[in-house]
Amino acid sequence: MAASPSSPEQNDFREYARRWLQENAPPPPPERLPMSPLEIMTVGQRNYLQDWQGQCHAAGLIGCDYPQSYGGGGHTNFQPIANQELGHARVPFMINIVGLSMAAPTILKHGSEEQKRRFIPGALSGGEIWCQGFSEPGAGSDMANQQTMAVAEGDNWIVNGHKVWTTLGHFARWMILIARTSRHHKYDGLTYFLAPIAGHPGVTVRPLVKMTGESGFNEVLFEDAVIPDSHRLDDIGKGWAVAMTTLTYERGAAESAGGTGGQSSDPAQGLIELARETQRNGLCAAADPVTRDALMQRVIAMEGLRQSARRARVPGLCDHPMRLPLQQKLLSSENHQANARLGVEIAGAASTLYKLDPNAPRQGYWPLSYMASYGNTIAAGTNEIQRNILGERVLGLAKSK
Amino acid sequence: MTSEDRAPVDFGFGEEEEMLRDLARKFLDERIPVETLRQLVAPSPVPVYEQGEPPAWDRSVWEDLVELGWAGLAVEEKEGGAGVSMVGIAALVEEVGRHALPSPLLACLACSLVLRSADSEVARRRLGQIAQGTPAALAITPGDGSWEPERSDIQARRVAGELTLDGTAHFVQDALKADFFVVTARLNDKLLLCTLPADAPGLSVEQNHIHDLTRDQATLRFRQVRVSPSSVVTDDGAEVLRRAWPSLLVLASADLCGSSEWQLQATVEYAKNRKQFDRPLGFFQAVKHPLVNAMVEIDRARSLLYHAASCIDAASVEAEKASRMAKSAASDAGAFISDRSVQLHGGIGFTWESDVHIFFKRSLHGQVLWGDGIHHRKKLAEILIDRDG
């Protein structure tokens, strides 16, 4: 965002957040951190990041706009400011990405008072890590094709099934889970649960290895796992509607409970610096006209993304209220991919080097980031599904199924 | 790259700007719906393409626009204009583009924006005339279409106190509608900026034979054209044009954003109604996804357009960068939706009887006007890679 909102409280808060982040930037991590919360593999990384999120929460930078009774700050419109400052400060990212951007807002909207008091504070502080149990081997883009069954037995549900691509499952205390409670209705037969994971009988978490060679996501098996009915979120059969709330936040169409941090505020600037540092045939890559044009295309796309986020808050300049918000996930993931891809091209032959090769530029960031970027063009509904949603809900074209 | 500009977070798009835009949309919907436009500018290819007649325009619509105060949108109130912000002008010009309106309006706005960046008595007098509805056009482009403000193929000479112009101004937009021109000419190592009546002795206006049916264009030839001292705006024309350049790019970008949105919505309508294989075309992802891609590109251009306009209103140093980004994005979005609008309309989209070619041609013209995407990315790279480094 280019300019700051104007209320004096918000300006004071921005000042406070900026100063706190300057004075409390954490020490270097004991072991190298991955690029994002999607690849956290070791207990050392987890402890360091969990500690950092706890400090940010205690300082009031996370859950700013959540009620105090649920561990929040009780403010209005402070979170976007905190998120911007976290982004500018180049501090480590928040580990509890699923808790902050999916579980907390979904529980806030659909949960009972007791559930809000029990689950939201741990999601905000990072004390309890969350994972997401939506995808299955046979339910990817066709997410309603859930085969995981939950069968009522007294005050409990007995759950059997197989979830995949479960980011942070290996460290998770809880999972937001969709399971089938009726075979008669595809959509209305789904119910949403807050499922215990770590150490829970009948739950097995196994790591899956990504194309980058890293882990960080998993498959989760439920074999007669018992979930108390008090962990059901909203009504039986409402699981699809509740999942839509989660997806609205996951796709960035609404503000999450806490900023992710850890990202350079201007990836295009990083590409320009790479081009300036890179020599080819004795010339600077930044002098090559084709490279310059490609760099400027990236600059313009990134600025466009920022300005669209700004325009999305000016109703008079939006023809359709969801037209810009529903583009968020599509554009941020594809821009990240295109940026990384250009980084690979500019780095040239050196982009062949894996991160552990001593000569790899920026420790192999560009090729690794490029490969990792497919996580985001696929997750949260593939970008092909996002284009269907935009074409159908915003443009009003016929449904493609 | 705009970490801190001084523009307001809502771009300064307030109630006044929204009312102006909504009024413009309503007026143009009534006065120049697409059926009326087609009958006006494209009854057949014969008059314009074969016989070389000037493209038609409806003078009565223009007179009503003058009544509404649009001719003076970019003229300060104390000079008899409406003094609307650049953001408000961008919003109105989007509507002009969405209706592919043939009129002297864009040329008048362009002249106003140039003249108002020159703080001189002559400029103020001409601004007052424009606000009252005297159409003007900018004659500042050399023959190679290089879109560099300091270039001109006209030579000014001062002989015995008499100033005369010799040479040629190319690609003059809506020249046939203009009563006077705003002209640049080289004078020693300076750039002279002056105004000349369309019927000045020694000036000939040669109509270009162009594709776009919704505007006209001409080459202006100057043979010993006398410039009276009361017509000289400034001899620092290069600086005046450099200051006004971002606002010219905003005008061109806004027109493109508007025409692109019409092309998108018209193609979406067709994809909803036209059936093949017992399904509306929009059911097929080979149709649906490119339309979404076009929407995304148009939205990027619109967001950058309002960013650029608000930078101009805030007199921010970001204005040049922002306006070059906007024009690059608007040109590319225009090219993409133009391509898809013809292709996805299928056979009918390839015919004269369809409306899509009218917007295709206006867009194609607008994409190159004041520089296409490649040009502006080149200029942007000079700032962001060479200068800011």
Side-chain angles (χ1 to χ4, degrees):
Chain A
M1 294 295 295
S4 44
S6 45
S7 102
E9 293 78 16
Q10 286 173 321
N11 289 338
D12 289 350
F13 178 69
R14 185 183 295 279
E15 272 306 301
Y16 160 76
R18 193 171 293 177
R19 197 164 359 97
W20 189 88
L21 286 163
Q22 272 166 11
E23 290 166 4
N24 294 278
E31 52 192 302
R32 215 169 91 183
L33 293 179
M35 287 186 297
S36 80
L38 309 183
E39 295 95 18
I40 300 165
M41 289 189 281
T42 71
V43 172
Q45 293 168 336
R46 181 200 62 185
N47 292 346
Y48 174 84
L49 288 165
Q50 229 172 349
D51 184 50
W52 170 238
Q53 182 170 337
Q55 288 180 44
C56 290
H57 176 247
L61 302 185
I62 301 292
C64 312
D65 300 337
Y66 276 59
Q68 290 179 341
S69 48
Y70 312 143
H75 301 291
T76 306
N77 284 332
F78 274 26
Q79 196 62 57
I81 297 170
N83 293 355
Q84 286 163 23
E85 294 305 321
L86 281 161
H88 292 319
R90 296 191 175 217
V91 287
F93 50 75
M94 297 301 135
I95 183 172
N96 206 9
I97 181 172
V98 179
L100 290 174
S101 62
M102 296 178 233
T106 307
I107 295 168
L108 187 68
K109 181 165 180 195
H110 297 275
S112 66
E113 183 61 26
E114 199 186 331
Q115 286 170 333
K116 292 177 197 175
R117 288 176 187 272
R118 168 64 191 88
F119 293 108
I120 294 177
L124 299 179
S125 71
E128 293 182 330
I129 307 281
W130 285 76
C131 66
Q132 179 188 26
F134 286 16
S135 294
E136 294 184 2
S141 289
D142 185 7
M143 198 182 83
N145 188 34
Q146 296 283 322
Q147 299 305 314
T148 295
M149 284 301 294
V151 178
E153 198 179 274
D155 285 341
N156 292 318
W157 295 86
I158 311 301
V159 177
N160 283 280
H162 183 186
K163 295 290 174 179
V164 289
W165 327 136
T166 317
T167 295
L168 287 167
H170 49 312
F171 290 135
R173 175 79 180 85
W174 305 108
M175 170 190 277
I176 43 174
L177 168 73
I178 328 178
R180 183 158 294 288
T181 47
S182 163
R183 288 211 182 276
H184 301 298
H185 309 282
K186 184 171 177 180
Y187 293 90
D188 294 341
L190 300 174
T191 303
Y192 200 113
F193 297 95
L194 310 174
I197 298 296
H200 197 70
V203 178
T204 308
V205 180
R206 290 189 198 136
L208 294 171
V209 180
K210 305 179 189 189
M211 65 188 279
T212 56
E214 297 165 303
S215 184
F217 76 160
N218 308 271
E219 58 182 342
V220 180
L221 296 162
F222 293 89
E223 293 160 297
D224 291 330
V226 177
I227 301 180
D229 189 53
S230 60
H231 287 221
R232 168 170 52 79
L233 194 65
D234 213 314
D235 295 340
I236 297 170
K238 280 279 183 65
W240 182 257
V242 183
M244 287 305 115
T245 299
T246 307
L247 290 179
T248 301
Y249 285 92
E250 182 179 9
R251 292 167 180 168
E255 194 85 49
S256 87
T260 51
Q263 288 149 352
S264 147
S265 52
D266 205 336
Q269 194 56 41
L271 286 166
I272 291 175
E273 281 158 24
L274 173 71
R276 286 199 185 114
E277 290 159 6
T278 305
Q279 292 288 314
R280 195 160 305 131
N281 292 330
L283 289 174
C284 178
D288 170 55
V290 178
T291 302
R292 289 160 73 88
D293 189 78
L295 282 168
M296 291 306 107
Q297 290 189 33
R298 296 286 83 234
V299 165
I300 291 168
M302 296 309 291
E303 185 64 37
L305 201 57
R306 279 189 288 273
Q307 296 305 330
S308 284
R310 181 177 170 194
R311 181 160 67 87
R313 295 177 194 188
V314 187
L317 290 177
C318 300
D319 294 343
H320 181 293
M322 291 313 285
R323 181 162 160 169
L324 291 172
L326 287 174
Q327 296 177 17
Q328 177 60 33
K329 185 263 171 176
L330 178 79
L331 290 179
S332 59
S333 61
E334 291 187 354
N335 272 310
H336 180 192
Q337 196 158 79
N339 291 343
R341 172 75 207 167
L342 181 59
V344 168
E345 289 183 319
I346 295 172
S351 68
T352 58
L353 302 172
Y354 184 61
K355 64 180 176 183
L356 297 183
D357 190 291
N359 296 317
R362 212 176 142 185
Q363 289 143 354
Y365 172 81
W366 300 105
L368 213 51
S369 175
Y370 175 51
M371 285 186 260
S373 72
Y374 288 91
N376 290 320
T377 52
I378 295 166
T382 63
N383 286 4
E384 289 67 32
I385 291 291
Q386 302 303 315
R387 287 189 165 83
N388 282 353
I389 292 171
L390 282 160
E392 291 157 18
R393 284 206 230 154
V394 177
L395 294 178
L397 296 167
K399 287 192 135 224
S400 292
K401 65 172 173 60
Chain B
M1 308 243 148
T2 60
S3 47
E4 301 294 336
D5 59 59
R6 290 174 287 160
V9 71
D10 67 352
F11 305 99
F13 187 82
E15 224 170 280
E16 205 176 307
E17 287 75 17
E18 191 163 354
M19 271 172 55
L20 177 68
R21 193 264 318 270
D22 292 349
L23 178 77
R25 184 176 295 182
K26 189 162 167 288
F27 175 84
L28 294 169
D29 277 349
E30 279 168 16
R31 292 301 302 276
I32 188 131
V34 70
E35 308 78 47
T36 308
L37 176 74
R38 191 180 57 241
Q39 284 160 17
L40 177 68
V41 304
S44 97
V46 174
V48 173
Y49 285 176
E50 289 176 25
Q51 295 168 352
E53 286 178 18
W57 58 293
D58 185 341
R59 198 174 286 271
S60 74
V61 173
W62 168 244
E63 283 160 6
D64 289 348
L65 296 188
V66 173
E67 279 294 302
L68 288 168
W70 293 12
L73 286 176
V75 177
E76 296 298 327
E77 284 176 83
K78 59 181 187 289
E79 266 100 50
V84 173
S85 67
M86 204 63 220
V87 163
I89 292 173
L92 182 132
V93 172
E94 267 205 279
E95 295 307 316
V96 169
R98 197 190 292 247
H99 294 82
L101 175 72
S103 87
L105 180 64
L106 291 182
C108 284
L109 290 172
C111 287
S112 313
L113 291 163
V114 169
L115 289 170
R116 84 177 187 189
S117 85
D119 187 24
S120 83
E121 193 45 46
V122 176
R124 279 189 283 275
R125 207 165 54 238
R126 297 289 178 244
L127 283 165
Q129 290 171 341
I130 292 174
Q132 281 166 14
T134 307
L138 270 186
I140 60 171
T141 307
D144 62 359
S146 65
W147 313 121
E148 298 291 352
E150 65 279 7
R151 295 281 316 279
S152 170
D153 286 349
I154 301 171
Q155 183 69 53
R157 283 185 195 82
R158 207 186 290 278
V159 181
E162 184 112 316
L163 197 58
T164 56
L165 305 186
D166 283 281
T168 313
H170 298 263
F171 309 111
V172 179
Q173 302 302 305
D174 290 306
L176 303 184
K177 303 180 183 77
D179 285 355
F180 73 91
F181 298 106
V182 176
V183 181
T184 52
R186 284 177 282 117
L187 179 63
N188 305 321
D189 56 347
K190 296 273 204 176
L191 192 73
L192 179 82
L193 188 72
C194 62
T195 64
L196 281 172
D199 57 3
L203 168 61
S204 66
V205 179
E206 294 171 11
Q207 182 200 337
N208 295 161
H209 207 141
I210 63 173
H211 289 285
D212 186 3
L213 300 159
T214 64
R215 51 188 134 202
D216 71 68
Q217 184 178 289
T219 304
L220 269 53
R221 298 197 192 280
F222 297 77
R223 290 184 195 85
Q224 296 211 318
V225 177
R226 234 188 107 246
V227 182
S228 74
S230 66
S231 298
V232 174
V233 177
T234 174
D235 64 357
D236 197 10
E239 175 58 21
V240 166
L241 281 179
R242 197 192 56 74
R243 278 203 300 269
W245 214 252
S247 55
L248 299 183
L249 298 183
V250 161
L251 286 185
S253 302
D255 188 64
L256 278 168
C257 284
S259 61
S260 296
E261 185 68 24
W262 183 90
Q263 292 172 302
L264 172 68
Q265 296 303 337
T267 313
V268 163
E269 272 316 294
Y270 188 73
K272 283 182 192 172
N273 296 322
R274 165 81 174 166
K275 283 192 177 171
Q276 288 286 273
F277 307 103
D278 304 320
R279 307 260 199 192
L281 293 185
F283 164 86
F284 300 99
Q285 290 170 333
V287 173
K288 177 180 288 171
H289 289 192
L291 287 171
V292 169
N293 292 343
M295 170 172 73
V296 162
E297 281 213 39
I298 293 167
D299 278 324
R300 171 191 299 163
R302 280 191 83 194
S303 301
L304 291 167
L305 165 70
Y306 284 98
H307 173 49
S310 71
C311 284
I312 293 168
D313 287 332
S316 163
V317 292
E318 301 290 325
E320 183 187 351
K321 283 183 256 183
S323 62
R324 293 195 188 282
M325 289 188 200
K327 183 59 168 64
S328 169
S331 288
D332 290 355
F336 184 68
I337 185 59
S338 290
D339 163 80
R340 288 299 90 188
S341 71
V342 174
Q343 180 68 25
L344 296 178
H345 272 82
I348 195 73
F350 187 55
T351 66
W352 187 269
E353 71 173 285
S354 159
D355 301 325
V356 296
H357 74 94
I358 301 172
F359 286 82
F360 183 100
K361 292 164 187 168
R362 183 175 177 102
S363 180
L364 193 61
H365 192 110
Q367 289 158 40
V368 296
L369 191 62
W370 310 121
D372 62 6
I374 290 174
H375 169 78
H376 288 293
R377 290 193 294 275
K378 177 175 175 288
K379 302 296 286 184
L380 198 57
E382 289 166 9
I383 302 171
L384 293 176
I385 299 178
D386 305 335
R387 204 195 297 167
D388 289 0

